[in-house]
Amino acid sequence: VNMMAPIAEANAGSPAFTNRLIVKFHNMANDKQREDMPAERLKQLNSRAGMPLSRGRALSDNTGVYILPDWVHEDVANSLAARLSDDPSIEYAEPDRLRRPLFIPNDSLYAQQWNLFEDAGGLRLPGAWDQERGAANIIIALLDSGIRNHSDLAPARLVPGYDFISDPDIANDGGGRDANPADPGDWVAAGECAPGEPASPSSWHGTQIAGVIGASSDNAAGIAGVTHGTRLLVVRVLGKCGGFSSDIIDAMRWAAGFSVPGVPDNANPARVINLSFGGEGKCTRLEQDTIDAINARGAVVMVAAGNEAGDVKKHSPASCNGVVTVAATTRSGGRASYTNTGTGVDVSAPGGDFHDGLLVLSNGGTTIPAADYFLLVAGTSYAAAQVSGIVALMLSVNEDLSLIH
């Protein structure tokens, strides 16, 4: 197991390019109707869009993905969506955006985890742990890049997860959706994601988030997690270049217990859904509809505020209603320089900075997986994950709590 020097979580908004639109119809009663759309009807949509569209996947709730013939800037995609929205058979259309990770006891390294116990800028968790360390009946869903096996993550804490990445190139694991949420690595070459995008190594972001929430604790090794008994539902939505909104929406609904076309039902619905990612742009209609449905089921959605040092209202899903948006603070308790802020922020938690990072689990591979790692990081992703863990502790004490606002 190796240690690495502190790094800051990279600014990770979504690239402003897409090759997909999400379309919601008014009167198509089921998935079969959308799949059997007459060629003449599709021709009408193509005429309205001004380019040939091809049918992609059917989503839930009378919604489907339509593929453009090429990648376009999001401004162009917005114009195309607006044209389609004028069709009387369409309730709304919107770009299918790529989302990106927001980069970024007696445990032997616990003394370095100031964020868990210090008074000034820490969470002061030991007092809470005296009351509750996390009940196994509370499930936290981690929608992220998947997970790697790590010596400080107990397999017994994991319930069966799923890989929701439908594009094999983004999935980078030889296929599309499947029941294996393992993270094969999300490294990219220069220009692979969008023109001018730099090369980047694998992030192992999902493993980091899993460790923040649920690293094995009081085992005389490694670090401690915020919760010590709640179970983790790993749902893979981010791969090479990030993840499409359409996959993320399906994953959110599945994690909360809704049925999703083509995917076995989730037997372990989550009470807490952690989204440590985001991108530029206001909350979309589909995102808001999904969050509303999840809230109605009694689940709470935690979202990182983002690391652009701007107003959170310009980022989603952090700007959606009904989510708990989490900004980042430093070891002294002050506002982290990188965190998004504004009236849309609900709560702050330790995110660290270049001087005092947060110690997390990771992997040493720059591309494919290698040895276990412990890494110092900073960012709102980790702040959100800690709040997810705290909410799970609260629900462990009283599972009837309502955390929707």
Side-chain angles (χ1 to χ4, degrees):
V1 176
N2 300 301
M3 294 289 291
M4 192 173 178
I7 62 167
E9 185 183 19
N11 185 359
S14 63
F17 289 85
T18 186
N19 68 342
R20 306 179 184 197
L21 298 175
I22 297 170
V23 180
K24 182 170 182 179
F25 295 91
H26 279 296
N27 300 316
M28 292 194 174
N30 54 52
D31 300 332
K32 187 70 166 62
Q33 278 186 270
R34 290 196 300 280
E35 291 169 0
D36 293 342
M37 178 185 290
E40 185 61 31
R41 186 74 190 89
L42 182 60
K43 184 178 178 181
Q44 291 174 7
L45 291 184
N46 291 347
S47 176
R48 191 174 288 275
M51 63 176 62
L53 306 177
S54 57
R55 286 190 292 268
R57 293 184 303 102
L59 303 179
S60 55
D61 198 24
N62 291 333
T63 309
V65 176
Y66 286 79
I67 312 299
L68 305 176
D70 205 350
W71 289 80
V72 298
H73 193 274
E74 193 168 308
D75 289 344
V76 176
N78 279 319
S79 296
L80 294 172
R83 291 181 208 165
L84 292 181
S85 296
D86 288 337
D87 190 296
S89 70
I90 293 174
E91 183 174 340
Y92 64 83
E94 60 189 36
D96 193 357
R97 293 171 174 166
L98 278 165
R99 298 303 190 196
R100 308 286 290 278
L102 294 173
F103 285 96
I104 356 183
N106 66 3
D107 302 81
S108 57
L109 300 176
Y110 176 69
Q112 300 180 41
Q113 295 184 272
W114 59 266
N115 55 298
L116 299 185
F117 59 81
E118 286 191 354
D119 285 339
L123 298 171
R124 293 181 283 186
L125 280 173
W129 288 334
D130 284 343
Q131 305 300 316
E132 178 58 61
R133 293 175 61 189
N137 65 308
I138 302 299
I139 309 292
I140 306 174
L142 314 178
L143 275 63
D144 217 287
S145 67
I147 197 171
R148 295 305 313 171
N149 293 331
H150 193 288
S151 60
D152 210 21
L153 276 174
R157 294 279 299 280
L158 306 178
V159 299
Y162 210 83
D163 181 352
F164 270 86
I165 301 177
S166 56
D167 187 319
D169 292 334
I170 292 176
N172 196 35
D173 60 1
R177 292 184 170 184
D178 55 51
N180 181 10
D183 184 351
D186 56 6
W187 79 97
V188 295
E192 185 173 359
C193 297
E197 284 274 310
S200 63
S202 290
S203 67
W204 315 116
H205 194 264
T207 301
Q208 295 169 13
I209 298 303
V212 169
I213 295 173
S216 297
S217 304
D218 203 36
N219 63 342
I223 64 174
V226 174
T227 76
H228 306 166
T230 54
R231 292 183 296 164
L232 307 180
L233 173 67
V234 178
V235 188
R236 186 168 181 247
V237 296
L238 303 176
K240 291 171 80 73
C241 305
F244 278 108
S245 294
S246 52
D247 287 336
I248 293 168
I249 293 300
D250 272 354
M252 290 172 66
R253 292 179 63 87
W254 183 83
F258 291 96
S259 293
V260 171
V263 178
D265 286 348
N266 172 21
N268 301 283
R271 288 295 306 277
V272 182
I273 297 176
N274 187 87
L275 309 179
S276 285
F277 55 78
E280 294 183 0
K282 295 180 180 180
C283 183
T284 71
R285 174 77 175 272
L286 183 59
E287 285 174 326
Q288 191 61 64
D289 286 351
T290 300
I291 290 163
D292 291 346
I294 290 171
N295 286 170
R297 283 216 166 185
V300 61
V301 181
M302 296 291 172
V303 185
N307 306 318
E308 293 80 14
D311 194 323
V312 74
K313 71 181 180 183
K314 298 179 181 179
H315 300 266
S316 69
S319 61
C320 296
N321 295 323
V323 302
V324 176
T325 299
V326 185
T329 52
T330 64
R331 189 169 187 172
S332 66
R335 182 178 68 189
S337 61
Y338 54 80
T339 189
N340 288 340
T341 56
T343 57
V345 171
D346 297 296
V347 67
S348 297
D353 56 24
F354 278 106
H355 302 290
D356 292 294
L358 275 60
L359 191 59
V360 300
L361 311 182
S362 194
N363 188 278
T366 55
T367 55
I368 62 174
D372 290 353
Y373 244 54
F374 293 91
L375 186 68
L376 285 166
V377 297
T380 57
S381 283
Y382 313 104
Q386 290 168 95
V387 176
S388 287
I390 290 170
V391 167
L393 293 178
M394 295 166 62
L395 291 169
S396 297
V397 174
N398 180 3
E399 61 181 307
D400 294 327
L401 282 176
S402 175
L403 300 165
I404 312 304
H405 66 98

